[in-house]
């Protein structure tokens, strides 16, 4: 069995959004380790390391869609194509509310699609609820 931690993989290229997400999670008392991938290629590299057991699996992946190098939908496709990481909860956290992004995300197996609220208060509340549900209430399958 692969070692699984309660860490979060945040895939976010915008440093301001990264800082807001981390701040909001910390403000919601989410103390989990947060690893950040700043582009799609880096995210796929980390997923390979999770898959090989080089790094412990996170409990949750927060994925932006509009990423440099490799788009978020391709990162999602890569996650779902793996053996071990395929069952990890993936939440798309994006500024896109385009119907095709929502439909494509669900077709590729995303667990939840959240549009980033514009102001910090709403963003913090959404992130708090996201953290509470996916990290405290949700049960994840064991990683083989």
């Amino acid at each position: 069995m692969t070692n699984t931690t309660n860490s979060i993989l945040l895939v976010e290229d915008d440093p301001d959004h990264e800082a807001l997400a981390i701040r909001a999670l910390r403000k919601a008392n989410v103390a989990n380790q947060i690893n950040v991938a700043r582009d799609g290629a880096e995210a796929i590299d980390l997923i390979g390391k999770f898959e090989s057991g080089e790094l412990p699996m996170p409990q949750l992946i927060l994925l932006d869609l509009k990423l440099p190098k490799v788009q978020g939908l391709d990162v999602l496709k890569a996650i779902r194509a793996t053996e071990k990481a395929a069952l990890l909860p993936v939440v798309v956290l994006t500024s896109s509310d385009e119907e095709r992004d929502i439909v494509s995300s669900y077709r590729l197996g995303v667990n939840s699609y959240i549009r980033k609220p514009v102001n910090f208060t709403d963003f913090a509340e959404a992130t708090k609820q996201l953290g509470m549900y996916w990290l405290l209430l949700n049960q994840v399958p064991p990683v083989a």
Side-chain angles (χ1 to χ4, degrees):
M1 178 173 277
T2 302
N3 182 18
T4 304
T5 65
N6 292 330
S7 68
I8 300 167
L9 173 59
L10 173 63
V11 184
E12 176 60 67
D13 67 313
D14 184 318
D16 291 334
H17 290 177
E18 173 192 333
L20 282 175
I22 292 172
R23 183 173 163 208
L25 288 166
R26 297 298 182 230
K27 192 172 178 177
N29 296 319
V30 172
N32 302 56
Q33 179 180 338
I34 301 171
N35 299 309
V36 179
R38 294 183 175 85
D39 61 54
E42 188 177 349
I44 288 175
D45 182 54
L46 285 173
I47 292 160
K49 290 178 180 177
F50 300 146
E51 193 71 10
S52 70
E54 186 177 339
L55 292 175
M57 287 280 183
Q59 184 177 354
L60 175 67
I61 297 175
L62 301 176
L63 176 65
D64 192 8
L65 289 184
K66 308 300 182 196
L67 297 169
K69 297 185 181 175
V70 178
Q71 288 290 306
L73 289 174
D74 292 323
V75 173
L76 180 58
K77 194 180 303 181
I79 293 167
R80 295 305 185 223
T82 64
E83 182 179 334
K84 297 174 185 170
L87 297 179
L88 286 176
V90 178
V91 174
V92 167
L93 187 59
T94 183
S95 55
S96 172
D97 63 354
E98 295 180 38
E99 185 176 319
R100 68 176 179 217
D101 286 339
I102 296 168
V103 171
S104 295
S105 294
Y106 279 104
R107 285 187 193 273
L108 292 171
V110 75
N111 298 94
S112 184
Y113 190 102
I114 298 172
R115 186 170 186 279
K116 292 176 188 170
V118 176
N119 70 56
F120 178 74
T121 302
D122 292 344
F123 186 87
E125 182 59 28
T127 305
K128 176 182 174 183
Q129 291 178 19
L130 189 157
M132 295 289 287
Y133 177 78
W134 288 104
L135 298 170
L136 299 176
L137 296 175
N138 185 54
Q139 294 289 309
V140 294
V143 179

